[in-house]
Amino acid sequence: MGFLADKNIGNIEQLYSYPRMVPILQRFDDDHLANPVQTLIAELQKPEITRQLDSIKQGDHIAIGCGSRGITNIVPLLQTLVLQLKQRGALPFVFPAMGSHGGGTAEGQREILSGYGITESNIGAPIRCTMDTVCIGYTEDGRATYLDAIAVQADHIVAINRVSAHTAFQGPYESGIVKMMVIGMGKMRGAQTYHRNGFGAMATDIPKFGNVVLRNAPILFGIGLIENAYKQTCRIAVLPPSEILSEEPKLLLYAKKRKGKLLFDSCDVLIVDYLGKDISGEGMDPHVTGRFPTSLCTSTFTAQKLVVLDISKDSHRNCYGVGLADVTTRRLLEHSDLHIMYLNARTNTVLDGVKIPMICSNHQQAIQAAIETCICQDPSRIRIIRIKNTREIDTILVSESMLDCVHGNDALEVLDTHSDFNFNEDGNLF
């Protein structure tokens, strides 16, 4: 990180004062499952799933694919799934189904799972990691389909993943069960193959490769998890292999309706405290920031300038998505590993997310740079929104100049008295 050696980088003279900020509550539909574990058990008792479970023989090995996102309740749900399978006489194990994440190494992927509490002692089953793959078949247009070399040797495979909107393309299958079976379980080799035609082809390619997996891999069932805007589990669906392709698009539509967003049309400066791969595939969810890495998606929200201040611990030093910001800090880049970020981009073929924005010496200088470069007739009326990250947006901060958008909107509420930007002696907010 030698190019960051100059500690005065981005250290510019302050021209404008900082506006006072107001805490705002954004209200979303908070309907959620009272007991996700019991819901999963009930789903596993559906007749079509019971028939799948009845096919398990004593001593059968069952591979459970898990992803690399911070999924709410994933540990208790995995514990429950493992126990239910063991009661059928099976020998379940978990494997990382996360494409090239974790630096493209088996140990890196094991570390990511561990960071989410998915350890052998926690879930009661072994974790088996490899980046090796096996070609299990070909699409109708002759493209090879790959699967994790350990998982493919199992008697059965289960995919468990959150169903949600993707950050770079739109289609009937975005982030969910089918994408996990194709890209996640395909490991790095599979992910590179499936991204080769770009995100423009992803919506049609995912079901093509998904069909190959469903025909040639012993998929027992898929588990789709949906979260509301408060990160609460609001729906769980267990689908037999015959229903995965037909039912997942319905789950995706439901998930999109429950997704949180900023309840404003625009602002001058959007400040994001933390980005992270645990938060979004793009580090910052474009459906919140309005900044997408491709032209295949659009947003109703826009910000003139986007500032990101730091990287989350659970991102495991992958700062992919920083390139969608206009300004960042030395601290974020010093806590990042460019090799890991670049590997992510080389796999998905999109470089916008890894471009380095303007680098400032601390939070104060970064926010100042964004304010000063906005097109704004009256700097005293600068419109600023600050959020912790793009998954936690129920409580946000807005500048006083945005209160006219709050009053009269039943989904927005002023929480407290105004506050200032409280920078510490190092010029940082935290």
Side-chain angles (χ1 to χ4, degrees):
M1 302 297 288
F3 71 96
L4 292 176
D6 182 3
K7 295 185 179 297
N8 292 317
I9 210 165
N11 191 8
I12 53 182
E13 180 183 358
Q14 180 175 336
L15 298 178
Y16 304 121
S17 59
Y18 299 98
R20 302 194 72 187
M21 303 295 286
V22 184
I24 299 295
L25 176 68
Q26 296 198 125
R27 291 194 181 91
F28 304 104
D29 183 350
D30 66 349
D31 185 41
H32 61 281
L33 298 176
N35 192 326
V37 166
Q38 288 302 316
T39 300
L40 175 59
I41 292 173
E43 283 286 307
L44 292 171
Q45 292 173 346
K46 294 188 303 185
E48 61 270 31
I49 302 304
T50 298
R51 286 193 289 271
Q52 292 296 113
L53 292 170
D54 287 343
S55 69
I56 297 173
K57 300 181 180 63
Q58 186 76 24
D60 274 1
H61 291 88
I62 301 182
I64 304 171
C66 291
S68 57
R69 301 284 179 262
I71 298 176
T72 302
N73 295 313
I74 189 61
V75 171
L77 291 174
L78 278 175
Q79 291 170 338
T80 302
L81 177 60
V82 166
L83 182 59
Q84 293 288 312
L85 294 174
K86 284 182 174 179
Q87 290 174 351
R88 293 273 179 164
L91 301 173
F93 66 91
V94 164
F95 71 100
M98 57 180 77
S100 66
H101 294 180
T105 68
E107 282 310 304
Q109 296 199 343
R110 181 186 292 272
E111 181 184 352
I112 288 178
L113 291 183
S114 177
Y116 297 132
I118 303 173
T119 63
E120 295 185 352
S121 59
N122 277 352
I123 63 174
I127 296 177
R128 299 176 182 170
C129 306
T130 183
M131 295 304 294
D132 295 336
T133 58
V134 173
C135 176
I136 61 169
Y138 296 85
T139 60
E140 293 180 357
D141 51 6
R143 287 177 289 173
T145 303
Y146 299 95
L147 201 71
D148 180 291
I150 295 177
V152 78
Q153 297 178 35
D155 299 290
H156 307 278
I157 299 174
V158 174
I160 179 169
N161 197 20
R162 180 170 53 220
V163 178
S164 62
H166 198 272
T167 56
F169 73 94
Q170 294 176 320
Y173 311 93
E174 296 183 23
S175 293
I177 300 169
V178 182
K179 181 172 176 285
M180 170 176 276
M181 292 192 310
V182 171
I183 296 178
M185 294 184 185
K187 314 302 287 206
M188 186 168 179
R189 186 176 185 182
Q192 289 174 328
T193 298
Y194 310 140
H195 282 95
R196 195 160 291 154
N197 287 340
F199 279 108
M202 196 69 73
T204 55
D205 278 352
I206 284 182
K208 288 180 182 178
F209 287 104
N211 265 312
V212 179
V213 175
L214 289 168
R215 287 198 311 266
N216 300 311
I219 303 297
L220 188 65
F221 49 76
I223 303 176
L225 310 174
I226 298 176
E227 297 171 10
N228 63 22
Y230 300 99
K231 300 191 301 179
Q232 298 164 313
T233 307
C234 60
R235 187 169 177 182
I236 297 174
V238 181
L239 305 176
S242 61
E243 295 182 9
I244 289 176
L245 287 175
S246 62
E247 294 302 311
E248 183 171 321
K250 302 173 188 176
L251 296 178
L252 177 60
L253 290 175
Y254 179 80
K256 288 184 175 182
K257 292 178 181 178
R258 305 304 305 276
K259 190 173 181 59
K261 62 179 182 179
L262 293 176
L263 301 178
F264 298 84
D265 294 330
S266 64
C267 69
D268 295 315
V269 178
L270 174 61
I271 303 168
V272 180
D273 287 356
Y274 295 94
L275 63 68
K277 292 293 287 186
D278 56 313
I279 297 164
S280 169
E282 301 299 325
M284 300 173 286
D285 187 346
H287 297 279
V288 175
T289 65
R291 300 288 185 92
F292 289 89
T294 72
S295 60
L296 301 171
C297 303
T298 59
S299 174
T300 57
F301 175 83
T302 58
Q304 275 198 60
K305 295 295 186 293
L306 172 57
V307 184
V308 59
L309 303 178
D310 212 331
I311 183 172
S312 70
K313 179 180 178 182
D314 287 336
S315 194
H316 295 272
R317 304 190 71 191
N318 186 344
C319 65
Y320 187 87
V322 70
L324 302 178
D326 301 297
V327 187
T328 191
T329 64
R330 286 179 57 256
R331 188 161 83 177
L332 182 149
L333 292 171
E334 287 175 344
H335 291 171
S336 302
D337 186 323
L338 297 186
H339 168 74
I340 294 174
M341 177 176 72
Y342 291 155
L343 180 63
N344 199 160
R346 291 173 66 178
T347 301
N348 69 25
T349 74
V350 178
L351 298 181
D352 282 6
V354 300
K355 295 177 180 178
I356 304 299
M358 180 178 182
I359 307 166
C360 291
S361 56
N362 54 36
H363 297 167
Q364 184 173 14
Q365 296 295 337
I367 295 169
Q368 179 185 331
I371 292 174
E372 292 175 358
T373 55
C374 277
I375 306 302
C376 180
Q377 294 296 323
D378 182 0
S380 67
R381 298 286 298 167
I382 194 85
R383 301 167 71 249
I384 299 178
I385 298 176
R386 180 184 170 196
I387 62 177
K388 181 178 180 181
N389 59 60
T390 56
R391 286 195 69 195
E392 298 177 77
I393 54 173
D394 51 326
T395 302
I396 65 175
L397 290 169
V398 305
S399 57
E400 290 178 311
S401 58
M402 298 193 68
L403 289 180
D404 57 340
C405 299
V406 176
H407 301 312
N409 188 334
D410 293 339
L412 298 172
E413 178 186 347
V414 177
L415 286 179
D416 206 343
T417 57
H418 301 182
S419 62
D420 297 319
F421 281 98
N422 296 312
F423 298 105
N424 61 25
E425 59 183 11
D426 295 321
N428 291 319
L429 291 167
F430 50 85

